[in-house]
Amino acid sequence: MQTDRRTFLAIAGFGAVTAACGGAPAKAAQRFEFTLTDAEWKKRLSPAAYRTLRQGATEFPGTSPLNKEHRAGTFVCAGCALPLFASSTKFDSRTGWPSFYRALPKAVISKSDRSLGMARTEILCRRCGGHLGHVFDDGPRPTGKRYCMNGVALAFVPKG
């Protein structure tokens, strides 16, 4: 893969900000129906999925194999397997992360995120509280939303 200077600087800057600020723990002030101990989460998840789902980290853009997933099916939480997004709502946002314009009903919850010096809306799995990503108001019709998700926080289940 060939990288131009602008891409290199963007990735380096993103990495520096992520490393400097760290991931905020994905713990909302509520109980979730699917809970595990920290040791159980570490055993269940890959190190990258653990950092993202349980500690609020962000994967590097363009690294998720789910960016190239175009089959019919459902994207589920990598932590608890709750169905989160229908493949029919996925679109190429050109951001480097899997993006969707609508979550499945009662699949996700949101909370205010003021980390990194900006106001954003964090998206969590409703069942386990895992950090999935953020939602923005610059998506396509019909919702105008862009659920920008960490691929490592998701798993894909093909239809059929």
Side-chain angles (χ1 to χ4, degrees):
M1 179 173 105
Q2 193 172 24
T3 303
D4 64 22
R5 184 170 186 241
R6 182 178 297 187
T7 302
F8 172 78
L9 292 173
I11 291 171
F14 173 79
V17 168
T18 301
C21 297
K27 295 179 181 174
Q30 68 185 75
R31 289 195 167 291
F32 295 97
E33 64 187 73
F34 186 92
T35 58
L36 297 174
T37 66
D38 195 54
E40 290 169 326
W41 280 118
K42 284 181 179 177
K43 186 176 180 181
R44 181 182 185 97
L45 301 169
S46 71
Y50 175 81
R51 283 190 305 275
T52 300
L53 284 163
R54 306 318 310 163
Q55 297 179 320
T58 299
E59 69 187 349
F60 284 102
T63 59
S64 175
L66 294 181
N67 285 329
K68 296 178 182 172
E69 181 57 68
H70 301 293
R71 295 175 291 170
T74 305
F75 293 85
V76 302
C77 176
C80 70
L82 179 71
L84 301 171
F85 299 96
S87 62
S88 60
T89 65
K90 185 174 184 274
F91 69 99
D92 183 3
S93 65
R94 302 198 188 287
T95 60
W97 289 279
S99 297
F100 306 86
Y101 63 79
R102 177 184 296 126
L104 292 171
K106 299 180 183 175
V108 301
I109 58 173
S110 63
K111 75 173 195 175
S112 177
D113 176 2
R114 298 206 175 271
S115 66
L116 303 180
M118 63 183 103
R120 299 180 292 173
T121 302
E122 180 181 9
I123 298 300
L124 307 173
C125 172
R126 180 213 26 98
R127 183 161 51 196
C128 72
H131 169 79
L132 302 170
H134 293 84
V135 66
F136 302 94
D137 291 324
D138 60 1
R141 292 181 185 210
T143 65
K145 300 291 183 189
R146 173 173 52 96
Y147 287 85
C148 191
M149 302 292 101
N150 290 287
V152 72
L154 306 174
F156 180 71
V157 179
K159 187 176 182 178

